Each structure stands twice: as C-alpha cells, then as structure tokens.
Amino acid sequence: MKIIPVLALVLCVSCGFSSEDKNEKNLNIESLKVNDLDGDLIEDTLENEIGLDKYLADVADVNIKFEQGYEIKLILEDEAKKGVIVNLAESINQDDVGFNYTYGSSLLKTKAFVESAKVARFATHSYGDVTDFELSKYVYPLTNENYRFQKQLDVKNIIDKDKFVVKNISLNFKANLYLESHPLIKEIRNPVFEVYYYDYRNRTYKLIKEEKIDLVLKENVLESFQVNIENIPNEFIFDNYFKRGEFLIISLKDYEVPTIGANYTNQMASIKERTTPVQVYTPNYQRQYFVSSKSPKSLIQMLDHIYKENYEVSNNEVTKIGQFENNLSDYEELSKVALENKKGKWFAYTNKLNQHFLTYKYSPKDTITLAYITGEKLASQVKEKSRLLKAVVSNEDSINSLGTISKRSDLSFSIDTGNYWGERVIKDSGEFWTRPCRGNCRVSDYRCRIDVRDFTGEQINEPFSMEAGRRFFSLKVGDSIYSLNDLISVGVLEESRLEEYYFYHLKKSEYFFSEEENTKQEKPVSLYTPTFRESGYHGFKLVSMSGKTAHYECPMHTMGMAQGNNLPVSNESLNFKKWKHWVHQRKLSIGTQKDEVLDFNYTVTSEIKNYYN
C-alpha cells in the first residue's frame, strides 16, 4: 500500500485471541465469543491454519441475479364478464450483443452512484442513510422506454374506451444463483429468495414472493430457476412499471452452510455485531467485505486487510484500488466528461460521520461504499424524473405540463391521436399550362398555379393522423412556443412510429437555452395544444404565373374555376389589384380571409430525465 500523507493518520494494530488448544476443531458458542474476531462462526485458529484473514468475515459469496427477460400477464374484464389478456413481455436472444447470463444492479450501488454525482463537482465523499435492506438487494433495470410507452397507451385505451377493469396480474421471470470459490465454503443448501417492489403509497418495500428452493449449490456453477407470481397489486404495473419505469427487486434471504453448521441468517447476525460492511464497486466486479471493527478501525486499516499493498491514498482521497486508478479528466461540469467511458475516479459513500472519512474510526454501526465511477456513468445519473399520462381535449386543456428541462435533459413523449371536429375545409392545389397547338390556333404561353380552400359549412368529427394534425401541436418552453413541425425540420426533435402511436425524442435540449445560460438553469416545458385556429383565404387563389400570356390566361383560369365551383375568387391572388375589375361580381364573389377552427383530442405519455451536472 502506498500512502502520500496529508492527514495525520493514527494507525493502531488490534490484537487477536488464539485458541488455547490449536487442535480443537469443534466450534462452540463459548469458544466463538473469544475466538472469532469477525463473527463469522469460524474460529480464528482455523482461519489462520488455512490462510484466511481472521479480521475479514468469511461469508459464502453467493450472487443472485435476474436473467434478462420477463412476462407480465394482465387479465382484464368488462361489465359483461368478457375477458381480454394483455401480455407485457421483453426478452433478449443469446446471440444479441447486449445479452448477459446475469442481469441486475445492486440497490446500494445505484444509490451510491447518485449520491456521488450530487457532490462530484466538489468532493469525492458523500454520505446518507444505508439500511440492511439495501446491502443485499438487486434491481432489474428497465431500459426499453419505447415499449413501455406503447403498452401504457394500449392498456389505457382498453380500460378507458372499453370500460375494462383489472382482474388479475401475474408475472414470471428467471433468476440465477452462483457461488464463488472459497477455501472453506464449497456449497450452500436450500436457498430462500425474496422478491419485492417499492410501494410508493406506503413508502416501503413490499414483499410479493418468498420461496425456498430444494437445491445444493456447488461453487462455480450457475443455477437458474423460474419464478412465478400471481395476484400482483395493480399499483406495481401502473405506478412502478408504467409511470416510473421501475421493476422488481430480488434478494437471497437465507441458506444453509454445511461447513459451519449454521444458516446465513444466524451467521450474519453474529457478523453484524463485530464488523463494518465495506462494499466495493468497479466496472468489472462488485464485492462485499465485512471487516472486524469491534475495536474501531480507520478506512486505511480496513483496506490493509482487504487489499494488502494493492491500493493508494493521496490528497485525502482513495486514488487507486487494484487496476482502477483515478484518471478522469478535470471538469467543472459533468457534461465535460460524459463521453469518457474508460476513465474514472474513486468515490466514497458512508453514513454521516463526525470527521474525515479516511481518519474516522469505523465500528459495526457504520457502512462504507467505495465506487470507481467512469465519466460516462457519473454524467448519466438522474437527478429527477417527470412522467405524464393524460387524455387531452384541446378546448379544455391547452397547456399540459411535462416537467422542467435544462441543457442536460432527456425528453420523450408519445401521442395517441383521437378525433378532430369543426367545419370541414377542403384544400387542394393544381397547375395549368399551355396545351400543344395543332392546326389553326392562336399562340399562347402560360403556366399557372392555383390553390383552393373551400369552407364547406359541413361539420365533421373524425379521426386524424399526425401527418395531417402535427400542425396542431407545439412545445412551450419557458415563455416561447415552438411548433413540432419546426423542431423536426431543424433536427431538434426526432419523430418515429410505435405501431399506431407517434413517438418523439428531444435530441438537443440545449436548443432552448442561450450560451450564457448555464447547465443549472431550468425551464418549464409543456405540450401546447389550444383550439386550432388558422386564418387564410377563402375560394380559389392564383399563387404563381409565368409565360408571355400568363397575365391574362391565369386570372381567367382562376375566375373560371371559381365560378364553375360556385366559390369566391380570393382577394389574395397574385396581382389581384391589376385584374380585379375583370371579376363579374353578379356571377362571382370576392373571398376574404376566414378562420379555420378545429378542436381535437389525444392521449400523451411522456418522461423527462434531468441529469446531475
């Protein structure tokens, strides 16, 4: 271990107790009280004999993770007891690049990364409450946002339009167990796993499955098992899965350890009384150590036991552990290192301490997390999420708040178009030009473009598509309004299809901010959809003309078409003042501007992610 001293670190060496009879191999409680510094129910003398560190608790290193893929089945029923089944399923083929046999992230790792991003501009140490629950739980991350948007709209349409209610929700997925090699612990038996989700209404983790598996798990063998859960609460789907993009949490509750003649629960109860848990996360592995701290120890002393000489401390920070050392570029904002996926930095996360985390003396009531976080991961930590699912009628809800955005935000939304209603307006355009002259005819030379807008007086109420109705939609950011059409044309907004729905992703949130505005500044963003009003001409309108005789032929064509269709000729026609006197107003009226007014309805689902910077 290499230390460049800045703080005055006082190191003390704790003395261990050894068994009076080194040949005694039968473990008993009385002996363990004085001969088990780390509380792992293995006598220190035995640990010494086989080369284990008596200050590091020896616990079966069992990894419980998800396999990629799941299936949720919603059974819906209407008043007539007619049923329909909606399947929500995701899977990934083993041939896909993103496939992993084990899937999931530690709940504590997720929390430590977020807390580190909060302080990353100023420090490498953050603190907060760490519970026993967080130490051993793994989360299934949901990544396919488009799929959830699509299915959320599907389910809402069935429930709202067809008046269905949820009768049952079931879920199945696969998980796996893996026992790492250990000199003493070669197998575990009869593991018991638990499945949770976070209940936002009651602000607690809710257990939805607990099961014992009849299994002898040998070291270095990956064992898979199927999990089926029935009667899942509705809020899990609608509040967690759809609204928040959150899924399941899995953990290993208990198992038998034949080597020590005890189960995991009893062993951990003993370990927690005598050790401090130290979690270490790197891009390659995540490990948990329990370091004897009945006699309190500094982090330096603990790292001496875990890594021997293979770590470094400098300038009041942990700068290297194993192959991972601080090499992240200097930054004032996290956005500056967002593309650095190979370079990183060590961060510490602990419970609240009354002195510097390197010199503080840790006891069993404390926890330590050390995480090597790359620039890319640091810059991608989410500060807050905003979700919306809403059915909208334009003349009732013109401004629909999606949340707030900054220069470092990710906004996506999906639209399910409904109907539009109002007076039908027929719009068309055509071009007319000189016909070939054969035989005895006068020579003419012209080309005209004539448009028509016909306010028919007919009231309509019919479905619309975004191709025709995109003009109805705008984003309101701060006090400014931007049409979706304009944002798409300049490459700020990207449009795609989710089957029958329309999906939009904001590619450049910085577009709405000046260079002088920093990344901390936020602006409210809304989907702005008031009653559609567009003023325009009424009747036939001469738009363009060219050719030697166009000055005569094109106005005549325009008036002839207007009279033939019993519509006005528009006073906005090209050069109208020059040929206005040709209009026979007893046979043909002159049209002025008229408003097209349309109301419409739609459903929107959206998500905004704001990142730490």
Side-chain angles (χ1 to χ4, degrees):
M1 188 268 304
K2 177 182 176 184
I3 303 178
I4 303 174
V6 174
L7 294 176
L9 304 180
V10 181
L11 308 183
C12 67
V13 178
S14 299
C15 298
F17 296 91
S18 61
S19 172
E20 293 182 2
D21 182 0
K22 293 184 179 180
N23 295 319
E24 178 61 48
K25 297 292 192 300
N26 295 319
L27 306 182
N28 60 73
I29 299 301
E30 292 305 316
S31 173
L32 289 172
K33 286 182 179 179
V34 294
N35 195 22
D36 185 14
L37 288 171
D38 52 21
D40 58 6
L41 306 183
I42 303 171
E43 286 190 356
D44 295 340
T45 50
L46 176 58
E47 290 179 312
N48 288 335
E49 287 177 11
I50 61 178
L52 298 173
D53 189 332
K54 62 186 178 183
Y55 293 97
L56 293 179
D58 291 286
V59 184
D61 189 358
V62 189
N63 295 316
I64 183 167
K65 294 284 188 71
F66 297 94
E67 289 191 9
Q68 287 176 287
Y70 61 86
E71 182 179 7
I72 303 171
K73 184 178 291 185
L74 276 70
I75 299 178
L76 309 174
E77 196 174 86
D78 65 7
E79 295 177 353
K81 304 300 181 183
K82 176 186 174 183
V84 63
I85 296 175
V86 178
N87 287 310
L88 311 174
E90 284 192 84
S91 62
I92 184 167
N93 192 284
Q94 291 188 17
D95 296 330
D96 291 346
V97 175
F99 175 80
N100 287 301
Y101 284 100
T102 59
Y103 187 68
S105 178
S106 163
L107 190 60
L108 180 56
K109 177 183 176 181
T110 302
K111 185 175 184 178
F113 275 41
V114 169
E115 295 299 324
S116 297
K118 281 184 185 179
V119 302
R121 293 174 60 201
F122 316 104
T124 58
H125 174 227
S126 58
Y127 60 84
D129 295 327
V130 178
T131 65
D132 288 343
F133 186 92
E134 294 168 325
L135 289 174
S136 59
K137 302 299 185 289
Y138 288 86
V139 180
Y140 189 110
L142 293 174
T143 56
N144 193 342
E145 183 180 84
N146 292 10
Y147 179 80
R148 295 197 315 279
F149 276 1
Q150 175 191 334
K151 290 300 181 180
Q152 185 178 28
L153 291 172
D154 285 346
V155 173
K156 181 174 177 58
N157 283 337
I158 294 172
I159 291 175
D160 290 355
K161 295 178 182 179
D162 301 326
K163 307 302 180 185
F164 277 78
V165 296
V166 178
K167 298 301 292 183
N168 184 49
I169 302 173
S170 62
L171 167 67
N172 68 77
F173 63 91
K174 280 187 176 181
N176 53 56
L177 292 165
Y178 185 83
L179 176 62
E180 300 282 355
S181 295
H182 188 278
L184 195 61
I185 302 170
K186 300 298 182 181
E187 67 177 45
I188 64 166
R189 297 178 181 177
N190 303 319
V192 179
F193 71 89
E194 297 174 319
V195 181
Y196 294 83
Y197 75 94
Y198 190 76
D199 181 350
Y200 281 91
R201 178 181 296 175
N202 297 305
R203 299 183 180 181
T204 185
Y205 290 97
K206 189 167 185 176
L207 178 67
I208 54 175
K209 181 77 171 184
E210 180 179 318
E211 186 175 325
K212 177 189 274 190
I213 307 172
D214 183 12
L215 173 68
V216 177
L217 180 64
K218 300 288 187 180
E219 63 179 346
N220 299 326
V221 176
L222 186 69
E223 295 279 1
S224 296
F225 58 95
Q226 186 76 37
V227 181
N228 298 294
I229 309 174
E230 296 286 339
N231 301 312
I232 293 176
N234 288 4
E235 62 260 24
F236 168 73
I237 293 297
F238 295 100
D239 200 11
N240 295 63
Y241 181 80
F242 282 141
K243 183 177 180 181
R244 304 175 191 273
E246 297 175 1
F247 202 43
L248 298 172
I249 299 166
I250 195 168
S251 70
L252 197 57
K253 179 183 180 181
D254 205 1
Y255 51 80
E256 299 166 12
V257 189
T259 306
I260 63 174
N263 59 23
Y264 170 74
T265 304
N266 292 337
Q267 185 189 29
M268 282 307 302
S270 174
I271 289 172
K272 287 175 182 177
E273 291 180 354
R274 304 187 182 196
T275 65
T276 298
V278 180
Q279 337 293 319
V280 181
Y281 301 112
T282 76
N284 290 352
Y285 61 82
Q286 50 189 46
R287 291 178 186 152
Q288 186 176 55
Y289 303 93
F290 297 91
V291 186
S292 175
S293 58
K294 198 75 172 179
S295 297
K297 290 181 173 62
S298 70
L299 179 57
I300 300 296
Q301 291 172 295
M302 293 188 176
L303 291 176
D304 281 341
H305 285 291
I306 299 171
Y307 290 103
K308 311 305 180 190
E309 297 293 320
N310 198 15
Y311 75 94
E312 294 180 9
V313 172
S314 174
N315 297 326
N316 297 339
E317 296 179 350
V318 176
T319 57
K320 181 180 179 181
I321 294 179
Q323 71 187 83
F324 296 98
E325 61 181 321
N326 290 0
N327 56 7
L328 194 62
S329 301
D330 293 335
Y331 57 88
E332 294 182 357
E333 296 180 342
L334 298 184
S335 56
K336 303 301 182 184
V337 292
L339 299 179
E340 296 192 16
N341 58 6
K342 301 296 183 183
K343 296 181 179 181
K345 193 174 184 179
W346 282 101
F347 290 85
Y349 176 64
T350 68
N351 51 292
K352 192 170 184 178
L353 311 175
N354 58 14
Q355 64 187 84
H356 194 277
F357 78 98
L358 284 175
T359 56
Y360 177 83
K361 296 292 186 177
Y362 295 88
S363 70
K365 72 179 188 301
D366 300 308
T367 60
I368 307 168
T369 299
L370 298 173
Y372 185 83
I373 311 177
T374 64
E376 179 185 51
K377 290 293 184 184
L378 204 58
S380 64
Q381 298 306 306
V382 177
K383 180 180 178 182
E384 62 182 356
K385 282 185 184 180
S386 301
R387 285 296 299 259
L388 173 72
L389 173 64
K390 187 177 182 181
V392 180
V393 179
S394 60
N395 59 357
E396 297 175 5
D397 300 296
S398 61
I399 300 178
N400 299 281
S401 175
L402 306 180
T404 60
I405 61 170
S406 70
K407 286 184 176 180
R408 297 207 64 237
S409 296
D410 190 13
L411 164 62
S412 300
F413 59 96
S414 189
I415 292 174
D416 178 19
T417 57
N419 280 21
Y420 71 114
W421 55 92
E423 183 181 2
R424 183 187 297 280
V425 179
I426 297 174
K427 302 173 186 179
D428 204 354
S429 179
E431 286 198 352
F432 306 88
W433 56 89
T434 309
R435 294 173 182 171
C437 181
R438 292 185 178 88
N440 187 19
C441 58
R442 69 184 180 88
V443 177
S444 59
D445 175 24
Y446 65 88
R447 190 176 192 94
C448 325
R449 180 188 159 193
I450 301 171
D451 291 352
V452 62
R453 294 180 85 212
D454 179 12
F455 288 78
T456 64
E458 175 191 358
Q459 294 298 306
I460 57 168
N461 188 333
E462 58 191 32
F464 72 94
S465 68
M466 283 300 285
E467 284 78 6
R470 197 182 298 115
R471 59 195 175 126
F472 302 160
F473 293 80
S474 298
L475 283 182
K476 184 176 183 181
V477 183
D479 296 323
S480 301
I481 296 174
Y482 308 83
S483 74
L484 259 57
N485 279 326
D486 289 345
L487 293 176
I488 292 170
S489 67
V490 296
V492 173
L493 194 67
E494 184 177 59
E495 181 184 65
S496 57
R497 291 297 298 268
L498 290 175
E499 294 189 359
E500 69 266 40
Y501 310 124
Y502 298 81
F503 180 76
Y504 298 88
H505 178 240
L506 184 63
K507 297 170 64 179
K508 301 175 182 177
S509 60
E510 64 273 17
Y511 177 82
F512 305 104
F513 297 84
S514 66
E515 290 185 8
E516 292 74 27
E517 293 176 301
N518 64 43
T519 53
K520 285 186 176 181
Q521 289 181 284
E522 295 182 342
K523 293 183 179 181
V525 57
S526 303
L527 195 58
Y528 183 59
T529 53
T531 296
F532 178 77
R533 296 180 184 275
E534 185 178 76
S535 294
Y537 66 92
H538 175 42
F540 281 83
K541 175 182 175 181
L542 176 59
V543 178
S544 65
M545 57 181 171
S546 60
K548 291 181 179 180
T549 59
H551 67 284
Y552 172 76
E553 300 284 0
C554 291
M556 295 304 292
H557 270 293
T558 304
M559 291 185 289
M561 294 181 70
Q563 186 174 344
N565 288 277
N566 198 27
L567 287 173
V569 60
S570 171
N571 64 354
E572 296 180 16
S573 294
L574 184 64
N575 296 336
F576 184 68
K577 289 182 179 180
K578 293 182 179 181
W579 51 271
K580 177 181 178 181
H581 60 281
W582 297 350
V583 178
H584 195 315
Q585 294 194 28
R586 290 185 179 179
K587 297 182 179 180
L588 184 62
S589 62
I590 297 175
T592 56
Q593 282 213 339
K594 194 171 182 180
D595 285 348
E596 180 182 6
V597 181
L598 294 171
D599 278 302
F600 52 97
N601 61 15
Y602 64 95
T603 301
V604 59
T605 178
S606 68
E607 180 176 83
I608 295 177
K609 295 177 185 175
N610 289 317
Y611 299 99
Y612 284 103
N613 203 42

